[in-house]
Amino acid sequence: MPKQAYVNGRYLPHGEAAVHIEDRGYQFADGVYEVVPVASGALVDEDLHLDRLERSLGELHIDMPMSRTALKLVSDELMRRNRLSNGFLYMQVTRGVAPRDHKFPKAAKPALVMTTRQTKPHSPQMLAEGVTVITLPDIRWKRCDIKSVSLLPNVLAKQQAVDAGAYEAWMVDEEGKVTEGTSTNAWIVTKDDKLVTRHANNAILNGITRISLLRLAAEEGVEFQERPFSVEEALEAREAFITSSTNFVMPVTQIDGKPVGNGHPGLLTARLRAVYEGYATGPEGNA
Ligand code: PDD
C-alpha cells in the first residue's frame, strides 16, 4: 500500500493528497503545526505536543479541528497505515478555506493535515563528531512562541547555514544573545558545568524536547539555568548542543568555524542524549 496522508477527514495516497488553493495556510501562512517524534512505533510526548498545538491555535483564535481523543485516533490510524516505527508525525491546522481576505472569515472550518515520515536513526558519525552552527541576526516576529507555519526567516537562515557548510543556524537577538536554532533549541554547558538554555518566552519556541530534557536533567541532579547566553559565552563554553523532535540531543562542536570546548562532543551532552533516548524509546515517553 502506498504511504497515506490524512486530509480533512480522508486518508489518501500521499502523492495525491492536496489542499484547496484558497486554504489560508497557503495564502497567509494562517496556521500552526506540530512535529511529534515517533520512537519504537509510538509517539513521544504526545500530550505535550497536543497541549502546545492547542495553545498555538488559541493564540491565533483558531478552533481545535477535532477533540484531542479524535486527534489521537487519527494519528494512531495514520501511523498504523504507514507502518511507522521510527520518524515523526506532522500535523498542520490552518484557519481553513475562504476567499482571500486578510480578516478572519466568518464561516471557515479549521483544516487538518497529517503526514508521517520514516527516518533512519542519527548516524553514529554525526553523533561522534557533532554538528556545526553559524550565527545570524534573528529577523523573526515577536511571537516565536507560536508554532506558526510562517517559517520564512527560519528557511532563509537554514539555507545560509547549508550554504556555509553548517548544519544549523543559531539566531541572535539585538543584545547579542542567542535565541534558538532555525528548528531547534540552543544549549551550552559552561566551564563550571552549568547547563544553560534560554528561558521560554515570546522570543523562542518552547520545545517539547527542551521541556522534557529539563525535567530529565533535574531528575539526574544536573544543575541548569534558564537564561539567555551570548555567542561569546557559547564560544567559551565547555559543551554545546541542540534539541528538537527530529534531533533529540545533538552535540554542537563548532560555532562560526571556531571549536566549542575541545572540539569534540561533550560528556554531559552524551549523557543527556542517552537519558533522553532512553526516555523517548521507553514506556515513560510514550505514555
Ligand atoms: N521544529 N525552535 C524552533 C524554531 C523549532 O521549529 C523547533 C521544532 C524547536 C524544537 O521544538 P521541539 O523540541 O518541540 O521539536 C525549537 C520542528 C522539529 C520542525 O519545524 O521541523
Side-chain angles (χ1 to χ4, degrees):
M1 215 206 296
K3 193 165 102 155
Q4 298 200 347
Y6 175 89
V7 186
N8 295 321
R10 296 197 295 163
Y11 296 93
L12 299 165
H14 191 97
E16 291 165 29
V19 292
H20 196 282
I21 54 168
E22 285 194 311
D23 186 292
R24 288 179 63 96
Y26 179 61
Q27 300 269 0
F28 294 112
D30 190 358
V32 303
Y33 74 106
E34 280 297 323
V35 175
V36 191
V38 174
S40 311
L43 292 161
V44 181
D45 282 335
E46 184 180 19
D47 279 311
L48 292 180
H49 281 277
L50 291 177
D51 287 346
R52 188 172 65 186
L53 178 72
E54 207 169 336
R55 178 182 182 277
S56 295
L57 288 170
E59 293 299 303
L60 302 184
H61 307 285
I62 299 176
D63 291 334
M64 281 282 267
M66 54 176 71
S67 70
R68 243 173 205 255
T69 314
L71 278 174
K72 288 184 178 183
L73 286 174
V74 174
S75 318
D76 287 349
E77 178 59 15
L78 190 65
M79 282 165 52
R80 191 190 64 75
R81 286 177 186 240
N82 292 340
R83 295 191 180 83
L84 187 64
S85 54
N86 220 75
F88 57 84
L89 172 87
Y90 179 83
M91 269 184 215
Q92 177 170 314
V93 182
T94 69
R95 200 178 302 278
V97 175
R100 188 179 183 282
D101 187 353
H102 285 66
K103 66 181 183 290
F104 294 176
K106 285 218 166 67
K109 246 179 55 205
L112 170 64
V113 168
M114 279 194 213
T115 55
T116 65
R117 171 115 44 102
Q118 180 80 22
T119 57
K120 293 202 180 78
H122 300 121
S123 85
Q125 192 194 347
M126 199 168 162
L127 292 171
E129 288 175 6
V131 297
T132 58
V133 305
I134 59 165
T135 61
L136 294 172
D138 192 337
I139 59 166
R140 298 175 302 162
W141 72 331
K142 294 188 168 64
R143 291 305 309 273
C144 296
D145 55 312
I146 299 172
K147 199 160 172 61
S148 153
V149 293
S150 172
L151 288 170
L152 204 43
N154 309 54
V155 166
L156 294 176
K158 180 75 174 198
Q159 188 56 39
Q160 261 184 274
V162 170
D163 291 344
Y167 181 74
E168 176 62 303
W170 278 3
M171 297 176 283
V172 180
D173 68 15
E174 277 162 10
E175 271 95 60
K177 304 280 173 36
V178 174
T179 52
E180 59 183 334
T182 65
S183 58
T184 57
N185 289 114
W187 304 66
I188 55 169
V189 180
T190 61
K191 285 224 170 71
D192 55 353
D193 269 332
K194 293 257 176 354
L195 184 59
V196 181
T197 194
R198 195 173 173 121
H199 58 290
N201 64 5
N202 294 0
I204 65 163
L205 183 78
N206 193 1
I208 304 301
T209 323
R210 174 190 180 282
I211 294 171
S212 286
L213 193 68
L214 284 175
R215 187 175 49 72
L216 293 166
E219 284 168 20
E220 288 283 302
V222 175
E223 267 187 71
F224 62 81
Q225 297 170 347
E226 291 178 82
R227 61 162 176 84
F229 59 85
S230 65
V231 177
E232 291 70 39
E233 192 179 0
L235 280 168
E236 282 162 17
R238 186 170 280 169
E239 305 181 21
F241 63 89
I242 50 176
T243 57
S244 75
S245 297
T246 43
N247 287 282
F248 287 8
V249 175
M250 182 61 71
V252 169
T253 46
Q254 235 185 59
I255 300 171
D256 290 332
K258 295 172 205 116
V260 178
N262 63 7
H264 297 287
L267 287 179
L268 184 58
T269 305
R271 180 171 150 214
L272 290 174
R273 178 168 177 104
V275 169
Y276 184 79
E277 266 184 332
Y279 167 74
T281 53
E284 207 199 336
N286 298 322

